[in-house]
Amino acid sequence: MPQQSIISLILPFVLFMGVLYIFIILPDKKRKKQYNSMLEGLRVNDEVITRGGIIGKITRIQDEFIIIESGPDKVKFKLSKNGIATTTSALKEEK
């Protein structure tokens, strides 16, 4: 009898962990994979949106940094690749 009570206590926990994995962890892994492939696919002249909301065009790509040009005065920013939120072409594809 004691084993049946242990199983009845553990089963809901295992089911909850399975649901958590399916609905939270798997979609997050997919989203991270898409984001990393987007970062790997960045090219010069791509238009990007930074996490801070700045829209600009990539002028140079270095190892882990990119330089973007923004605004009518062609102001240049150097930022980490992880500072890129998305590309404008990705936004157009979603619509």
Side-chain angles (χ1 to χ4, degrees), residues 6 8 19 28 48 64 83 87 95:
I6 292 173
S8 66
V19 168
D28 189 51
V48 296
E64 288 300 313
T87 61
K95 292 181 182 180

Side-chain angles (χ1 to χ4, degrees), residues 31 43 49 52 70-72 80 89:
R31 194 171 21 259
R43 302 286 177 251
I49 301 174
S70 180
S80 169
S89 61

Side-chain angles (χ1 to χ4, degrees), residues 1-2 10 14 22-23 25 32 34 39 49 53 62 67-69 75-77 81 85 87 94:
M1 283 289 192
I10 293 176
V14 171
I22 290 171
F23 288 108
I25 296 173
K32 283 181 182 179
Q34 288 174 336
L39 288 181
I49 301 174
Q62 298 168 344
I67 297 176
I68 64 169
E69 189 175 81
V75 177
K76 292 186 179 182
F77 299 94
K81 281 186 178 181
T87 61
E94 289 178 4

